[in-house]
Amino acid sequence: MSEKLKIGISIGDVNGVGLEVIIKTLADSRIFDYCTPIVYGHTKVASFHRRTVQVHDLNFNVIDSPANAHHKKANIINCWEEDVKIELGAANETGGKYAFLSLQRATDDLISGHIDALVTAPINKDNIQNEEFNFPGHTEYLQQRDNSPEVLMFLVSDTLRVGVVTGHIPVAQVAQSITAEKILAKLKLMNTSLKQDFWIRKPKIAVLGLNPHAGDNGLIGNEEKDIIMPALEEARANGILALGPYPADGFFANGAYMQFDAVLAMYHDQGLIPFKQISFESGVNYTAGLSFVRTSPDHGTAYDIAGKNKASEVSFREALFQAIHIVKHRRETAVLNENPLQFSKLSRDRD
C-alpha cells in the first residue's frame, strides 16, 4: 500500500452535529489503515462533543502542523486559544465564528499542500458570514480560494451522481441564470470528473429539462428548445455523451437514472431532493473542478438532534473515503497521462 493520505477535516458549526459524526467516524480505528485524519478545531470543543456522544476510547493527538501527524491516531490542530461556549442546537454567532476559523486554517493547509484533501462538516450558511466569508456556502468559498473559473456541485453515491447547473441562488433567478454556455461548461466539468475522479472511461450523462414535462415541445416554456438542446448538441460535438432533456419527475420515478453514470439537473432542489431521497444515508457532496479535493456529507447542521447522540456518521464516513479514492484516482490518472504503459501495474496495485 502506498503512503497514507493526510485528510484534513473542518469541524463545521460547533453547535451542530459536525463533531458528533466526525468523532463517531474516527472512533473506528480501522480508519487509520486508510488515511491519517487531521481535525481542525480545538481539543476542548472536541472533548465536549466526545462526552456528549459517550465515546470514551478516542483520544486526539494534538499537533501544530500536519507534518507532525501521527499515522495511527486521530490528530487535531487547535485553531484558536480561547474557551468556546457551546450551545447545542443554537444557530448563533459563536457557531459561525469557529466554523470559519476551522475552515480557513484547513483550507490554508490544503492550498499549501500540507494535506491531501479536505472533508468539511456542515456549516450554517447564515451565521458564518463575515468580512472574509461572503459566500452562499463552502463551494463558492473554496472556488474563490482556488481561483477556479468554474466548479460543479456534484452529489455522489454508489447508485446515483447528480450535478447542478445553478447552485445556491434564489429560485426566482434560476431561469435567467441558465445559458447554453453554462450548461456546456458544467457538462465538460462533469465529463472530466467522471473520467479523472471516478475512473469511468466513457461517461453517459442525462440532462434534465427546466420546465415541467421538459417543456412539452414549447407548451410549457422554450428553455429546452432554445437553450438546453443546443447545449447538448454542442456537448456531443465535443465528444461528450449527453442525452436529454428529460422530465425530472418521471426520470427519477421510473428509475431511468440507473441507466446513466451521472445526471445534470438545472437547479439545486431539482437535483438534490431526489438524490437525498434515494441516497441520503450514503450521499456525498463533492466539488468538482477544483485543483484540490473537497468532499462533505450531504446533510446540514441538524440542530434539532445536536447533542442527542442521534446523528448517523454514514454520510461523513463515505465523504472521507470518497476523498481518499478521488485523490488516488487523480494521481493515478496523472501517472497514466505521463506513461500509459503503467496502466496494468496501477490496476494491480490499487486498493
Side-chain angles (χ1 to χ4, degrees), residues 126-145:
D126 180 39
N127 68 22
I128 197 174
Q129 299 297 318
N130 59 49
E131 291 183 358
E132 297 178 82
F133 191 104
N134 186 20
F135 303 93
H138 279 117
T139 302
E140 295 81 5
Y141 171 75
L142 293 168
Q143 179 182 2
Q144 189 270 338
R145 290 293 308 269

Side-chain angles (χ1 to χ4, degrees), residues 47 109 117 123 220 264:
S47 294
D109 280 352
I123 59 172
I220 318 176
L264 183 65

